[in-house]
Amino acid sequence: MANEEKKLNILSLIGIIISAIIGAGIFNLPKEMATSASAGVTILSWIISGIGMGSLAFSMQNLSNKKPDLHAGIFSFAQEGFGDFMGFNSVWGYWVSVIVGNVAFGTLMFSALGYFLPIFEGGENIPSIVGASIILWFIHYIICKGLDKATFLNTLVMIAKLIPLIIFIVCVIGGFNKGIFFHRFWSLNTENFYLPDVVHQLKNTMLVTVWVFIGVEGAVVFSGRAKKRSDVGKATLLGFATVTVIYMSITVFSYGIMTQEEIRSLPNPAMAYILERVIGKAGAIIVNLGVIISIFGAWIANTLLAEEVSYQAGERNLFPVIFTKENKNKIPINALIITNIIVQVLLLSFIVTDQAYSILSQLSSAIILLPYTCVALYQLKVTYTEKQSDSLGNYIVGIIATAYMLWLVYASGFMYTVLTMLTILPGAIMFIYVRKYYKQQIFKNYEVFIFIIVAALFVYGLIQLPLIMAL
């Protein structure tokens, strides 16, 4: 698709991953974790998430190396392993997840701007909608100019966003107070370790950790544009390792600056007020500027992911052919336009609820569990069918990744599981349309069974929707 001079090197691939992962979430991460867990449980949560998401990253690296023909993003693993309908559900879920995530970016960006300009205070009002809309279509304009220009700007922003994060980590380590850190280390309510309470806290942190890792698949999505196929796996692991260290440092050391109760009651973005406690008002200024820079980069990276994955879905006859049209700069222009129009409409959620960021981020996490689970299951399938010399290690990686994904489905809870089903079935209408357009059989026999399950869960979701909205 792309000309040779526009192929992506390993730095650009890593830039997409880090920019996609480190976006809005990290600057409110201490609060999101403290709302659910104590310092001790937060450490356990990152260990579990690191192993689980690390296994998923290794699965992506392995599949990318062993299946070089599958360069249409992570959904191509689902399509190849489990058929067109599961491939469609995977790409539909991924596309919707990234779109919802982009809307969540808007609320935190303008919450940060509200620190400097009170008109945007809270990030969920009319001026914020107008401002977010301007940012949205400015990013659209940049991407339309070409992938090379967009990824170059993204790499510069990635470097810029790491500066305030490094400053934050250095400062909280310097101001660390072990007395505060070990106060009620295992629970907000007791000094003692109580296993059922710890497990409950762990369960509540799972969607938070998945949300902040969304984007780890960035290099795989753009594998068809990479200069070297081997760079895809390397970029995935390097990007994942980098952000894991950053995440653990920021959240864990924050408990040595403020108590869990204090952190969980902070306004967004919580990191600003934690650093302000250490170095004064300059800390809040540094973090809020970092938020703005970081989200701008993440917004670029995630928009690239959304338009690329929907374009690739069109190329593989899963999305309508309209998604495959390119402009003169080889950008999938219709995929980009459709994606950003949906984001624009969803920006209205800013004035629907005062918890837009938390709701949207966790919904985005819940929806993306389907494509991630398909990657883990395909890793097991490929390992079983090919039985190569590295099979034992790949089995272990696949089993851990699959178990972690299933745990996340359980941990996501009733509300987000139902909301996921409500987003999946409408996509089936597009799938049926595309199959008829290409004069193909709509469902294979086993896919009829899957469709019936999805439809039943959709009906159940509609019945339960009033209860969900009341929660």
Side-chain angles (χ1 to χ4, degrees):
M1 170 188 162
N3 294 328
E4 180 63 30
E5 65 271 12
K6 294 186 179 181
K7 292 286 186 178
L8 303 178
N9 58 31
I10 189 169
L11 181 60
S12 295
L13 293 171
I14 292 173
I16 290 173
I17 293 172
I18 293 180
S19 282
I21 297 178
I22 299 180
I26 192 169
F27 293 95
N28 211 44
L29 190 55
K31 175 183 176 180
E32 295 290 326
M33 294 297 283
T35 299
S36 304
S38 64
V41 178
T42 295
I43 294 172
L44 288 178
S45 178
W46 283 121
I47 292 172
I48 293 171
S49 298
I51 294 172
M53 291 302 294
S55 296
L56 185 69
F58 273 110
S59 296
M60 291 179 186
Q61 181 201 34
N62 180 57
L63 293 172
S64 179
N65 291 337
K66 292 188 174 180
K67 300 290 180 180
D69 54 315
L70 300 180
H71 55 76
I74 60 173
F75 77 89
S76 60
F77 300 144
Q79 185 182 16
E80 183 72 13
F82 311 108
D84 288 344
F85 186 49
M86 283 306 298
F88 172 83
N89 286 329
S90 182
V91 68
W92 174 263
Y94 183 84
W95 188 52
V96 171
S97 175
V98 176
I99 287 173
V100 170
N102 277 358
V103 179
F105 287 159
T107 185
L108 193 55
M109 173 181 275
F110 282 87
S111 178
L113 279 169
Y115 183 85
F116 304 102
L117 302 170
I119 190 174
F120 298 123
E121 185 175 1
E124 297 171 6
N125 52 25
I126 297 297
S128 297
I129 293 175
V130 175
S133 299
I134 293 172
I135 299 296
L136 170 68
W137 294 106
F138 177 66
I139 290 172
H140 179 95
Y141 171 78
I142 292 172
I143 294 175
C144 283
K145 292 297 182 180
L147 180 63
D148 55 337
K149 295 179 178 61
T151 54
F152 176 73
L153 176 61
N154 178 69
T155 301
L156 293 179
V157 174
M158 175 200 72
I159 295 170
K161 77 167 64 176
L162 291 177
I163 295 173
L165 298 179
I166 293 171
I167 292 173
F168 180 90
I169 292 171
V170 170
C171 289
V172 293
I173 290 175
F176 186 82
N177 184 313
K178 66 179 182 180
I180 296 175
F181 183 74
F182 286 105
H183 176 67
R184 294 186 175 173
F185 186 71
W186 291 112
S187 174
L188 185 63
N189 303 314
T190 178
E191 297 284 355
N192 301 319
F193 180 93
Y194 180 56
L195 184 59
D197 180 52
V198 169
V199 173
H200 177 72
Q201 291 180 68
L202 281 173
K203 179 175 176 287
N204 290 339
T205 65
M206 289 298 101
L207 279 185
V208 176
T209 55
V210 173
W211 158 244
V212 295
F213 275 121
I214 292 176
V216 69
E217 70 291 332
V220 177
V221 170
F222 280 93
S223 58
R225 295 175 178 253
K227 285 183 177 180
K228 296 180 181 178
R229 181 72 188 194
S230 60
D231 286 346
V232 174
K234 293 176 185 176
T236 299
L237 294 180
L238 287 171
F240 170 77
T242 300
V243 298
T244 300
V245 171
I246 292 173
Y247 282 155
M248 290 190 67
S249 300
I250 285 173
T251 51
V252 173
F253 287 115
S254 291
Y255 286 100
I257 304 299
M258 293 182 175
T259 65
Q260 181 185 352
E261 277 188 305
E262 289 177 314
I263 295 173
R264 69 192 297 182
S265 63
L266 292 174
N268 298 341
M271 274 179 59
Y273 301 92
I274 295 171
L275 191 57
E276 187 175 41
R277 173 72 63 89
V278 180
I279 63 173
K281 190 175 181 64
I285 294 173
I286 290 170
V287 171
N288 279 288
L289 287 174
V291 170
I292 297 165
I293 295 170
S294 183
I295 295 177
F296 180 65
W299 211 332
I300 294 173
N302 279 275
T303 304
L304 285 168
L305 291 176
E307 56 87 359
E308 179 69 13
V309 78
S310 55
Y311 165 80
Q312 294 288 355
E315 286 282 288
R316 293 178 70 93
N317 298 340
L318 293 179
F319 273 23
V321 69
I322 189 175
F323 283 84
T324 63
K325 182 180 178 181
E326 300 172 290
N327 68 6
K328 63 181 181 180
N329 296 315
K330 299 296 183 181
I331 292 296
I333 186 63
N334 285 346
L336 182 63
I337 291 172
I338 293 170
T339 294
N340 284 337
I341 286 176
I342 296 172
V343 172
Q344 178 69 78
V345 172
L346 289 178
L347 284 172
L348 294 174
S349 65
F350 283 17
I351 56 175
V352 175
T353 173
D354 61 359
Q355 295 295 323
Y357 171 73
S358 293
I359 292 173
L360 289 171
S361 64
Q362 293 191 57
L363 176 58
S364 180
S365 302
I367 298 172
I368 208 167
L369 294 182
L370 175 60
Y372 281 179
T373 301
C374 286
V375 171
L377 291 172
Y378 189 54
Q379 162 80 359
L380 287 176
K381 181 177 180 179
V382 169
T383 304
Y384 175 76
T385 55
E386 296 188 355
K387 292 183 171 62
Q388 297 180 355
S389 59
D390 58 353
S391 290
L392 179 60
N394 286 329
Y395 267 129
I396 293 173
V397 167
I399 290 170
I400 293 174
T402 301
Y404 181 62
M405 289 302 120
L406 293 177
W407 159 254
L408 289 176
V409 171
Y410 164 74
S412 65
F414 168 77
M415 179 172 73
Y416 292 105
T417 300
V418 171
L419 288 174
T420 297
M421 290 303 104
L422 291 176
T423 63
I424 291 297
L425 186 66
I429 298 172
M430 180 189 289
F431 178 78
I432 293 170
Y433 166 79
V434 172
R435 301 296 281 188
K436 287 186 174 181
Y437 177 85
Y438 287 107
K439 297 181 172 58
Q440 297 173 327
Q441 179 184 352
I442 296 176
F443 296 117
K444 295 182 175 67
N445 291 337
Y446 72 92
E447 291 176 333
V448 172
F449 179 69
I450 295 173
F451 177 76
I452 291 172
I453 293 176
V454 172
L457 289 172
F458 177 81
V459 173
Y460 175 76
L462 286 179
I463 295 172
Q464 297 296 325
L465 191 58
L467 175 61
I468 293 172
M469 299 307 294
L471 292 177

